[in-house]
Amino acid sequence: VRLAMYRGDPQAEAQLRTLLQEADAGAPTRSTEVLRRLLGELLLRLGRDDEAVQVLQQTARRQTEMAGADHPSVAATQLLLAVAAARAGRLDEAEQQWHAAAPVLRRALGDAHPASVAARAYLALRHPVPATERPALADAAQSSLGWQPGANSVTEVVRWGRTFADWPNLPVLH
């Protein structure tokens, strides 16, 4: 399902919704919320941001109730909610969410994990990192995220410290 999701395969949505329907028949679990976050991510990738936000907000609430606000699954969901906020032009809100998610992801998953790299790269789009740090972040982004659609444009902006202006089309990197 995940590979189909990254390819934008419309059948991935049906598969995820079927899995969620079965999972939702019981009590909410962390696994159920991972599936729900994947559905939210797919909806973002398909450009259905309003639907994605509804799914992701529900997921974030449930994850926080089950695991606490400082859990990496909550931070991963925040990362996606921030993408939706940035696409809608709410850059301050997006930045706050990326700032909240980045240290949790880094602490729990390490610097090289794709979610940690994505959080740092998104922040660098908002505020370019110092020139001495750009190559390492750009290389990490290319290495761990480069296979995802839109990653190359983000990597180039990070590498050269340029201003990112295409917020409505911000790619989903995760």
Side-chain angles (χ1 to χ4, degrees):
V1 172
R2 194 161 198 160
L3 286 176
M5 179 185 79
Y6 286 125
R7 290 188 204 125
D9 184 341
Q11 291 187 6
E13 180 181 358
Q15 292 170 339
L16 281 169
R17 288 193 187 276
T18 298
L19 288 170
L20 268 171
Q21 187 175 21
E22 292 169 9
D24 280 340
T29 66
R30 289 183 186 180
S31 298
T32 302
E33 296 317 311
V34 169
L35 287 173
R36 199 175 319 281
R37 183 179 67 232
L38 287 173
L39 176 61
E41 182 177 345
L42 173 63
L43 293 170
L44 278 176
R45 289 179 184 279
L46 295 173
R48 292 163 48 194
D49 295 5
D50 291 340
E51 289 176 76
V53 167
Q54 290 178 349
V55 169
L56 293 167
Q57 286 175 337
Q58 178 184 15
T59 301
R61 276 191 307 275
R62 287 183 177 178
Q63 288 172 323
T64 301
E65 289 169 5
M66 285 186 255
D70 286 340
H71 195 274
S73 62
V74 176
T77 302
Q78 282 179 311
L79 187 72
L80 296 170
L81 282 165
V83 169
R87 285 180 174 180
R90 298 188 316 272
L91 298 178
D92 290 339
E93 177 185 333
E95 183 177 352
Q96 288 174 348
Q97 290 177 325
W98 287 323
H99 269 295
V104 174
L105 294 168
R106 184 180 250 176
R107 185 174 53 253
L109 305 174
D111 283 342
H113 190 279
S116 297
V117 174
R120 293 193 330 263
Y122 283 135
L123 283 167
L125 295 180
R126 190 80 166 110
H127 301 285
V129 296
T132 56
E133 297 174 25
R134 287 184 207 143
L137 179 55
D139 290 347
Q142 185 61 45
S143 173
S144 65
L145 305 167
W147 59 274
Q148 296 182 57
N152 290 336
S153 64
V154 169
T155 299
E156 289 305 303
V157 169
V158 170
R159 183 176 307 283
W160 303 111
R162 296 184 182 132
T163 300
F164 187 78
D166 196 14
W167 293 107
N169 296 305
L170 181 65
V172 177
L173 304 176
H174 196 255

